[in-house]
Amino acid sequence: MSTTPARRFDTDLPDAKGYFGPYGGQLVPPVLKQAMDDIDAAYETIRQRADFQEELAALQADYVGRPSPIFHARRLSKQLGGAQIHLKREDLNHTGAHKINHCLGEALLARFMGKKKVIAETGAGQHGVALATACALVGIPCEIHMGQVDIEKEHPNVTKMRILGCRLVAVTRGAATLKEAVDSAFEEYLTNPTDYLYAIGSVVGPHPFPKMVRDFQAIIGREARAQFLERHGRLPQHVAACVGGGSNAIGMFTAFLDDADVHLVGVEPAGEGVDNPGRHAATLTWGKPGEIHGMSCYVLENADGSPAAVHSIASGLDYPGVGPEHSYLKDVGRVEYTTASDKETLDAFLTLSRVEGIIPALESAHAVAWAIREAPKHSPDEHILVNLSGRGDKDADYVASKLGL
């Protein structure tokens, strides 16, 4: 396998209007168009400044604890009897997941723009904890909107957010999960887009957020590619990550897009079965092009075109849309998108915990489930690199209760 890019993937995306092919854009009310353009202009200005890059790099090293290591799961690999499984340990970051990577960037951007409050949604609570942490660090008030169902399910993260000083808004409408939290946070942002920054928690929403969050998360793949080459003198044959909105996956995939021999796999939640409408969130697998939350992307829709009900055992993945860049990568065939069920995910959660002593987030366990399923199909000289995007502290009580542990 070549260790240098075999071809140049289109790195000029998104275009000036925020589109990845037909996906993305700024599908927002006219009152928000200028606000989005102002954020884009500020981001493009700050990202070119040496003082910003130096401050961000210092925080990544001394505050987050980067680079995160790659761990060879030797016992798991031996037990499965196939390809070698490696984990990019984003779970070891400060706050316990990859979310801190873009939250630091968004908080620094809010400070640069003189914003008076940062608003966000959260599902599993990892984005909420990371943003509350980053806002505490830079001294900006933070408001997090979270579905009531997720508040009850992810209580440890709720407690952390409150300790960190953010205002937590419980969202009780509809399914009271991630989609409703996004709606609620966006409505609050609309009341004062001049003074507020909506710090979107994934590579979703109107331009420039899919681009901006991707850029902050791309450090995952840059590190992983260099680390793997240094250790093995080659690249992994397979790179996998879970996909809800898609930030951890884009963060991992971006550095490998030009490596045509590297098989990239995004793992969506099959929930209780993709043949059971409303009980899965496999957007790219079963959705179709549509519009949601200010962007064009693949969407799971009802017959009337409204977003469909979705489900995943992982609160951070139960979203009926997906990042526009993922939608584009699906269409051009660069990434394979597949699924893992709730049952497979729970099994992977317990297996990794008991075989390697690593308790993964339920979100990340979807990608682990794919690796467990896939590894026996390949020879022991092949390598699977999984982005372990978060740790499972937040899920431990829920899983124990569900399984009667």
Side-chain angles (χ1 to χ4, degrees), residues 101-178:
N101 298 328
H102 70 257
C103 286
L104 279 178
E106 288 177 327
L108 293 174
L109 177 64
R111 186 184 67 185
F112 173 76
M113 296 182 73
K115 298 295 184 179
K116 297 178 181 177
K117 182 168 75 172
V118 176
I119 301 167
E121 84 295 332
T122 195
Q126 288 300 142
H127 175 61
V129 170
L131 192 65
T133 298
C135 286
L137 177 68
V138 303
I140 296 177
C142 178
E143 179 174 303
I144 304 294
H145 294 239
M146 188 174 189
Q148 184 62 41
V149 169
D150 294 333
I151 287 175
E152 294 169 5
K153 184 176 175 183
E154 307 289 1
H155 185 70
N157 276 347
V158 173
T159 300
K160 291 176 186 176
M161 284 185 274
R162 288 176 169 149
I163 289 172
L164 288 161
C166 83
R167 177 172 182 260
L168 185 68
V169 177
V171 181
T172 58
R173 70 180 78 169
T177 55
L178 181 56

Side-chain angles (χ1 to χ4, degrees), residues 375-393:
K377 302 175 185 177
H378 301 276
S379 66
D381 61 351
E382 290 192 42
H383 300 275
I384 296 173
L385 176 59
V386 174
N387 191 20
L388 198 71
S389 56
R391 61 177 173 249
D393 302 26

Side-chain angles (χ1 to χ4, degrees), residues 331-345:
D331 280 5
V332 300
R334 180 61 189 95
V335 179
E336 176 191 355
Y337 293 95
T338 184
T339 64
S341 69
D342 284 354
K343 182 181 184 305
E344 288 176 302
T345 299

Side-chain angles (χ1 to χ4, degrees), residues 9 127 150 188 352:
F9 200 82
H127 175 61
D150 294 333
E188 173 64 14
L352 189 63

Side-chain angles (χ1 to χ4, degrees), residues 254-269:
T254 297
F256 294 95
L257 287 175
D258 286 340
D259 300 301
D261 293 337
V262 177
H263 176 214
L264 302 178
V265 183
V267 187
E268 296 190 294

Side-chain angles (χ1 to χ4, degrees), residues 282-363:
T283 306
L284 288 160
T285 309
W286 288 96
K288 62 181 182 179
E291 298 177 3
I292 189 172
H293 294 140
M295 62 178 172
S296 173
C297 63
Y298 274 77
V299 185
L300 289 168
E301 294 180 338
N302 297 313
D304 63 1
S306 61
V310 291
H311 160 80
S312 170
I313 197 171
S315 296
L317 302 183
D318 56 357
Y319 182 59
V322 68
E325 189 167 7
H326 283 293
S327 301
Y328 171 73
L329 291 171
K330 171 185 169 66
D331 280 5
V332 300
R334 180 61 189 95
V335 179
E336 176 191 355
Y337 293 95
T338 184
T339 64
S341 69
D342 284 354
K343 182 181 184 305
E344 288 176 302
T345 299
L346 276 173
D347 289 346
F349 180 99
L350 284 179
T351 297
L352 189 63
S353 299
R354 293 176 175 180
V355 176
E356 297 289 0
I358 297 172
I359 303 175
L362 282 170
E363 290 77 13

